[in-house]
Amino acid sequence: MKVAGYENGNFIGPTVFSGVKPGMKIYTTEIFGPVMTIVSVDSLDEAIKLINDNPFGNGTGIFTQSGAAARKFQSEIDVGQVGINVPIPVPVPYFSFTGSRGSKLGDLGPYGKQAVQFYTQTKTITSRWFDDATVSAGVNTTISLK
């Protein structure tokens, strides 16, 4: 179907919004696309509260070198997908496409255990950690192209 004025589609390139505050339309609208909103807080506890107070619960991420902060974050937030030192992990067939609260559509997710165990609330945690001595030594990967 062609929409007048949008014959080639309605696309947006990767976009970053900074200085976002709760209550702004960009904060209260769940956008599925290459869009990132940056909301600043002063503490980990404030970040957890901010995330849990949001009506949506699709996914979030944290970048930290503190295992204690990462564990507290992943345990206390109520979202379906969590990235630790990686952005929100894009669902692949072996992960459930999870969400919670306003981000959950019905009982079944299209992939993974959620499709069978629809009475279970799941949370996917993806982590990436670096040895402190290698943090400034460039990209740390298990793949070598040599």
Side-chain angles (χ1 to χ4, degrees):
M1 177 169 103
K2 300 269 185 193
V3 177
Y6 299 100
E7 290 79 11
N8 295 320
N10 186 11
F11 301 97
I12 184 170
T15 306
V16 177
F17 292 92
S18 62
V20 175
K21 305 281 184 214
M24 290 180 160
K25 183 145 182 132
I26 189 71
Y27 181 80
T28 60
T29 302
E30 189 170 41
I31 301 172
F32 286 90
V35 175
M36 178 171 60
T37 57
I38 300 173
V39 182
S40 297
V41 294
D42 293 325
S43 70
L44 179 60
D45 287 329
E46 284 183 54
I48 292 168
K49 181 173 178 7
L50 179 82
I51 292 165
N52 288 341
D53 285 351
N54 189 293
F56 301 108
N58 186 22
T60 191
I62 185 173
F63 290 83
T64 182
Q65 285 189 281
S66 169
R71 180 173 296 281
K72 178 179 176 69
F73 186 80
Q74 77 185 39
S75 297
E76 294 184 15
I77 58 170
D78 179 16
V79 299
Q81 300 171 87
V82 180
I84 298 175
N85 296 329
V86 296
I88 298 169
V90 176
V92 292
Y94 48 84
F95 287 159
S96 297
F97 181 75
T98 55
S100 63
R101 303 183 318 268
S103 293
K104 188 157 179 80
L105 179 61
D107 292 344
L108 299 175
Y111 299 123
K113 290 189 268 183
Q114 186 96 18
V116 177
Q117 299 172 338
F118 58 92
Y119 288 113
T120 302
Q121 179 65 42
T122 62
K123 183 186 291 187
T124 302
I125 309 293
T126 306
S127 296
R128 183 177 186 194
W129 294 98
F130 298 100
D131 198 17
D132 288 342
T134 64
V135 170
S136 62
V139 177
N140 182 343
T141 180
T142 57
I143 300 171
S144 175
L145 300 177
K146 294 179 184 178

